[in-house]
Amino acid sequence: MNNAINIADQKERLRALDPATSFIVQAPAGSGKTGLLTQRYIMLLAGVDAPEEIVAITFTRKAAAEMRDRILQALEQANSNQPPDEAHEKHTWELARKAIARDREKGWQLLNNPGRLRIQTIDSLCTSLSRQMPVLSQFGSVPAITDDAEALYLEAARNTIADLESNEQWSDSISHLIQHLDSRLVTLQGLISTMLAKRDQWLRHVANPANPGLIRHHLEQAIVRIIEEALSDLSTHVPKACEAELLALARFAAGNIAEPDSLIVACRDLKNLPGFSLEDRWQWEGLAELLLTADGNWRKRLTKKEGFPAPSTTKDKEEKALYTEMKQRMSELLESLHDSDDFRAKLVQLRMLPSYQYKEEEWETLQALFKLLRLAAAHLEIVFSERGQVDFPALAQAAIRALGEPDAPTDLALALDYRIRHLLVDEFQDTAVNQYKLIEGLTAGWQPDDGHTLFVVGDPMQSIYRFREAEVSRFLDARLNGIGQVSLEFLRLSVNFRSQQGIVDWVNEKFPLILPQEDDIASAAVSYAASESFHTPLQGAAAIFYPSVEKDYAAEASKVVSIVKQAKAEHPEGKTAILVRGRTHLVDIVAQLQQANIGFQAVEIERLQHRQVVQDLSALTRALYYRHDRIAWLSILRAPYCGLTLNDLNILAGDDKYQTIITLLQQQERIDRLSEDGRCRLERVLPILEAALTAQSRCQLRTYVEGTWIALGGPACVTDETDLEDAEVYFQLLETLDDAGDAPDSYALNKKLEKLFALPDVE
């Protein structure tokens, strides 16, 4: 900001610094949200008795660290008597001067004790709450928190399935689900494990068997409401100009179909568009069948199956003329609908709607699933207790229990009510159910004008975590009704400090056509809020759109490469970023960039386990600890540091499928049959492997595998320095799996490898 006076939303930014008022702030991309949070935090420091009375909640450690760094930097600068020239920084400096004065008055020494600044992630806050009330959290002493609880989920899943033999009330449910999955126990185990990882999203619904929401009638009524809402939405997308013609042609088509099971027959008496009730669904289905092919595209061919017989099928001149006319009209209608893609998409969604009733076998399976999930959740609690570990969902639930209900707060909640005066929440649009309950618990008992304030900030237009129950409707509801007993004043920031005017104008033009026209809490619909640019436009087009209608990845990749070449020619020192929806979309692009000799860095794109050096190290690890793993042993003999030919490998092990490879390597008659080159290679490698096997129990996992790899000459066989960096990542992973000399769990090793990415090209 060069001149704060000229900022369009400066009034709102100053209003957000009122220390006596609670706010909900909508801050779009580039609007300086972190700076505003920092300023409010610093401003609040000047009015509290202890810095711990202010709590700021962020969603990532990185965001917490950035906010803490900004605050400390501002406090350090405030020690200088020379104010900054830039208006925004000067304002922050003035706020920090007051905070430093308070710091000196109270003797906080924040610059020497930055840990007193309570800027935490949700998970960190939950940990501290659980520790303060171990009995209420039902943890006792807080167990270790694991970032990767998959092994615990799998153990609980195995224990759940094992209860099949317990002859308890849930045994029949387990048996039913096993039969439902054709006795694929591994599949059932994996499904249970996956569900346990997301239990914060479903456990509160199924934990109580008497929950009215689990009653069959109520569930089916919910399905009916979904269907009726979808029909109502579909009706709004029918092009008005085509409505009368569509109805006339639908009646004609239905009158020419003899098969009673055809969906189009339902349109026989259609004089108006169908309604929105359950009974109207079949007429909508008939229209969809008339207009769309089986794969969801507009029809291009019309036959008697769709109610349009060929004129040649009749000798009657009037009928022939009628068939010709109606077929032509239908073709013209389909042609006019070609650009109505929203209507087509809604018709496709119509076909995907579920039945409004459960079949008996479906309901039996659902009931069995409810019982199984409750049992699995109980087994997971036992596993947590036995292992002394918990995951983050368990931690959040424990913190909520420790706080109690809003109308019945615990001693901890009452104590926090005294100790926490100001609560700031970042990225509020991505708040999940448990996180929202946590905020309600922290603010329970707050009254207007009692010195407490809640400050939440976010952008509902950027809500992307609905898959984990982060409903943007909570932002809209809080904007209207507040949170718990706390009323919130709504502020909207509009100035974008990140992008030049051309980009802001382009976004303002396009996104109102994409997002809904109005906010709607029920459907979680968020309208577009326009931004204002702070920076002047740059020369040239701010955004260029290259449409690619057909699904041709090679053509798209070619176009991307041509754009990169053009950008490189126009801006030799500039950089080009390529963003894709999924990593698999980069396959063709990467290949063509390599063909064009264009250097690039790919961050978290290629899986670590796909790198050859890591595959060789993984095989070496398995071979050293599992002598019967023939694939692993053959892999290390084939690896560059040994390099036996396929023919030599076949001579060595092709006629014996039962003995271990190391046993075969110690049979001289087999070695003598190898090629001279093969014998020379084994003469160097075999003693190293034998020595490694002898020393296995005396070394830590990383030291053991890394030392053997170095002795074999692995580092000399890599392609470049990046391979060595990837190898280091693998060795660090082995450190996390070291279990007092025991063999590493191959499954755990593979699962952890799946989550790691190769480093970008260090050169």
Side-chain angles (χ1 to χ4, degrees):
M1 304 181 193
N2 295 322
N3 187 355
I5 298 175
N6 295 326
I7 298 174
D9 58 7
Q10 182 65 6
K11 179 181 177 182
E12 287 78 9
R13 294 174 187 274
L14 292 175
R15 176 66 184 142
L17 299 180
D18 181 352
T21 306
S22 296
F23 296 99
I24 180 170
V25 182
Q26 182 169 339
S31 60
K33 172 195 64 177
T34 304
L36 183 64
L37 278 167
T38 300
Q39 283 188 334
R40 182 170 177 89
Y41 195 103
I42 294 172
M43 175 271 301
L44 292 172
L45 281 173
V48 294
D49 294 324
E52 291 83 0
E53 294 178 4
I54 311 170
V55 176
I57 301 176
T58 66
F59 275 75
T60 64
R61 296 188 184 98
K62 181 180 179 181
E66 180 184 357
M67 187 172 172
R68 180 179 285 103
D69 288 345
R70 287 197 185 194
I71 292 171
L72 292 173
Q73 184 179 8
L75 294 177
E76 287 178 357
Q77 291 177 345
N79 285 319
S80 169
N81 293 323
Q82 181 63 38
D85 295 331
E86 202 269 342
H88 172 71
E89 292 182 1
K90 183 178 180 181
H91 188 202
T92 302
W93 177 82
E94 292 170 348
L95 295 172
R97 293 277 289 182
K98 296 178 182 179
I100 283 291
R102 187 68 167 178
D103 175 273
R104 291 169 180 161
E105 176 188 347
K106 296 291 183 179
W108 297 338
Q109 297 186 355
L110 287 178
L111 292 175
N112 295 325
N113 300 287
R116 298 193 68 180
L117 299 175
R118 296 184 64 185
I119 305 169
Q120 304 171 274
T121 63
I122 285 276
D123 297 327
S124 174
L125 179 62
C126 289
T127 303
S128 65
L129 292 175
S130 300
R131 283 181 176 146
Q132 291 178 60
M133 274 293 191
V135 176
L136 288 172
S137 68
Q138 299 177 16
F139 272 163
S141 62
V142 178
I145 304 162
T146 176
D147 289 325
D148 184 3
E150 186 169 359
L152 304 179
Y153 303 147
L154 286 169
E155 183 176 350
R158 286 193 294 268
N159 295 344
T160 301
I161 297 173
D163 268 357
L164 173 65
E165 306 294 337
S166 66
N167 293 322
E168 296 287 350
Q169 57 177 329
W170 47 73
S171 297
D172 289 341
S173 297
I174 300 172
S175 176
H176 176 88
L177 290 170
I178 290 174
Q179 294 177 33
H180 180 70
L181 293 171
D182 297 327
S183 298
R184 291 174 291 173
L185 297 183
V186 174
T187 300
L188 179 58
Q189 176 182 300
L191 292 172
I192 295 173
S193 173
T194 301
M195 290 297 290
L196 286 174
K198 301 177 181 178
R199 68 193 183 285
D200 55 323
Q201 301 179 20
W202 54 260
L203 186 56
R204 68 183 182 278
H205 300 298
V206 305
N208 180 11
N211 183 352
L214 301 181
I215 297 174
R216 182 172 183 173
H217 171 70
H218 291 164
L219 287 172
E220 290 178 341
Q221 282 298 308
I223 297 175
V224 169
R225 286 195 296 272
I226 291 173
I227 294 173
E228 291 177 345
E229 288 172 2
L231 296 181
S232 176
D233 186 32
L234 170 59
S235 68
T236 64
H237 287 81
V238 180
K240 293 297 181 183
C242 303
E243 186 176 314
E245 183 72 344
L246 173 60
L247 294 172
L249 291 168
R251 290 193 300 269
F252 170 81
N256 285 290
I257 295 179
E259 294 82 359
D261 58 344
S262 172
L263 291 171
I264 300 176
V265 172
C267 301
R268 185 165 290 167
D269 300 320
L270 201 59
K271 296 181 180 179
N272 298 298
L273 283 179
F276 320 138
S277 68
L278 194 62
E279 293 74 21
D280 298 313
R281 174 178 179 173
W282 311 115
Q283 290 182 322
W284 284 111
E285 295 267 16
L287 291 175
E289 185 70 15
L290 175 66
L291 297 172
L292 301 182
T293 60
D295 58 358
N297 293 312
W298 296 117
R299 288 195 181 278
K300 295 180 180 179
R301 294 178 64 253
L302 298 167
T303 67
K304 64 178 182 179
K305 184 179 178 182
E306 290 80 43
F308 291 90
S312 59
T313 59
T314 178
K315 295 182 179 180
D316 186 286
K317 291 184 178 180
E318 291 185 1
E319 273 193 348
K320 184 175 291 189
L322 179 62
Y323 289 172
T324 302
E325 176 193 350
M326 299 304 280
K327 201 165 188 176
Q328 178 63 29
R329 287 170 59 182
M330 188 65 194
S331 297
E332 292 173 355
L333 173 66
L334 290 169
E335 182 64 29
S336 67
L337 291 173
H338 191 270
D339 293 329
S340 302
D341 204 56
D342 288 345
F343 180 37
R344 184 191 63 79
K346 295 299 178 182
L347 290 173
V348 171
Q349 291 177 14
L350 168 69
R351 289 177 164 180
M352 299 169 62
L353 291 175
S355 171
Y356 71 97
Q357 285 183 320
Y358 292 107
K359 297 177 183 178
E360 287 304 319
E361 58 269 25
E362 291 174 338
W363 181 248
E364 185 179 355
T365 300
L366 195 58
Q367 291 294 100
L369 183 59
F370 290 158
K371 289 184 179 180
L372 183 78
L373 289 176
R374 286 193 285 269
L375 177 63
H379 272 295
L380 183 61
E381 293 297 323
I382 295 173
V383 171
F384 283 160
S385 178
E386 292 175 344
R387 301 296 181 184
Q389 294 180 305
V390 294
D391 61 357
F392 288 116
L395 196 64
Q397 196 59 47
I400 293 171
R401 286 195 300 265
L403 289 171
E405 298 296 328
D407 55 350
T410 63
D411 291 342
L412 172 61
L414 295 175
L416 289 174
D417 174 55
Y418 172 75
R419 292 168 54 192
I420 297 180
R421 287 183 57 191
H422 305 284
L423 183 62
L424 295 82
V425 183
D426 191 12
E427 303 292 1
F428 183 68
Q429 78 279 357
D430 292 326
T431 304
V433 174
N434 281 344
Q435 295 164 343
Y436 190 85
K437 285 185 176 180
L438 185 68
I439 296 172
E440 284 186 316
L442 291 171
T443 58
W446 289 12
Q447 300 296 326
D449 303 321
D450 65 355
H452 293 93
T453 67
L454 175 61
F455 187 84
V456 299
V457 60
D459 182 10
M461 293 187 293
Q462 296 185 66
S463 180
I464 59 173
Y465 290 108
R466 193 170 189 176
F467 65 90
R468 66 180 190 195
E469 281 200 312
E471 291 286 352
V472 70
S473 56
R474 292 191 192 95
F475 189 101
L476 303 178
D477 182 63
R479 197 171 71 187
L480 293 174
N481 305 312
I483 298 175
Q485 299 176 349
V486 182
S487 298
L488 299 171
E489 181 179 327
F490 174 60
L491 298 174
R492 176 184 282 130
L493 306 184
S494 60
V495 176
N496 184 314
F497 298 100
R498 181 181 303 159
S499 305
Q500 56 112 334
Q501 183 180 333
I503 292 178
V504 174
D505 291 345
W506 184 86
V507 173
N508 284 339
E509 177 187 354
K510 303 301 181 185
F511 273 75
L513 307 176
I514 299 171
L515 294 177
Q517 294 298 310
E518 297 180 352
D519 295 335
D520 181 26
I521 294 178
S523 62
V526 179
S527 61
Y528 179 71
S531 296
E532 301 177 67
S533 174
F534 180 77
H535 298 289
T536 57
L538 300 177
Q539 291 184 347
I544 304 174
F545 185 65
Y546 299 91
S548 180
V549 180
E550 301 298 329
K551 189 175 182 180
D552 188 339
Y553 294 137
E556 288 180 9
S558 177
K559 186 63 179 177
V560 168
V561 172
S562 69
I563 295 171
V564 171
K565 287 181 177 178
Q566 180 180 353
K568 194 173 183 62
E570 295 175 356
H571 306 282
E573 302 301 321
K575 295 182 179 180
T576 302
I578 302 175
L579 307 181
V580 293
R581 187 168 187 174
R583 294 181 180 89
T584 55
H585 300 164
L586 278 173
V587 174
D588 291 281
I589 295 175
V590 166
Q592 293 205 30
L593 286 172
Q594 291 172 335
Q595 291 174 6
N597 292 321
I598 297 176
F600 62 90
Q601 276 199 341
V603 180
E604 291 197 353
I605 296 299
E606 185 181 358
R607 299 281 181 184
L608 185 67
Q609 62 182 357
H610 293 169
R611 288 287 175 90
Q612 187 62 56
V613 64
V614 173
Q615 291 177 354
D616 291 341
L617 283 168
S618 177
L620 179 61
T621 305
R622 299 198 317 272
L624 292 175
Y625 281 96
Y626 300 98
R627 301 191 185 192
H628 288 83
D629 191 335
R630 292 171 63 90
I631 297 297
W633 274 94
L634 292 172
S635 296
I636 65 173
L637 294 178
R638 180 67 175 154
Y641 44 73
C642 182
L644 289 188
T645 63
L646 294 177
N647 186 55
D648 278 340
L649 291 178
N650 184 55
I651 293 172
L652 177 67
D655 62 347
D656 190 325
K657 300 179 181 179
Y658 302 103
Q659 296 188 76
T660 64
I661 300 299
I662 188 62
T663 301
L664 297 177
L665 286 170
Q666 293 168 342
Q667 298 174 8
Q668 190 60 45
E669 64 274 13
R670 287 184 179 274
I671 302 300
D672 291 340
R673 298 206 305 264
L674 301 181
S675 67
E676 182 179 353
D677 177 71
R679 292 195 300 273
C680 290
R681 291 172 182 270
L682 285 178
E683 186 177 341
R684 184 186 70 85
V685 169
L686 186 55
I688 297 173
L689 294 173
E690 290 176 331
L693 292 174
T694 303
Q696 181 185 107
S697 61
R698 300 197 300 269
C699 301
Q700 292 182 330
L701 177 57
R702 171 180 175 154
T703 304
Y704 179 48
V705 176
E706 185 176 14
T708 305
W709 183 63
I710 292 173
L712 288 169
C717 300
V718 299
T719 305
D720 51 38
E721 186 179 344
T722 305
D723 285 341
L724 294 177
E725 297 293 337
D726 286 332
E728 174 60 24
V729 174
Y730 178 83
F731 293 136
Q732 291 175 3
L733 174 59
L734 291 185
E735 288 187 41
T736 68
L737 297 173
D738 200 325
D739 192 11
D742 291 340
D745 186 327
S746 293
Y747 179 84
L749 176 58
N750 288 333
K751 295 301 289 185
K752 287 181 176 291
L753 269 178
E754 288 175 1
K755 299 177 181 179
L756 295 177
F757 293 95
L759 296 173
D761 187 347
V762 297
E763 298 178 358

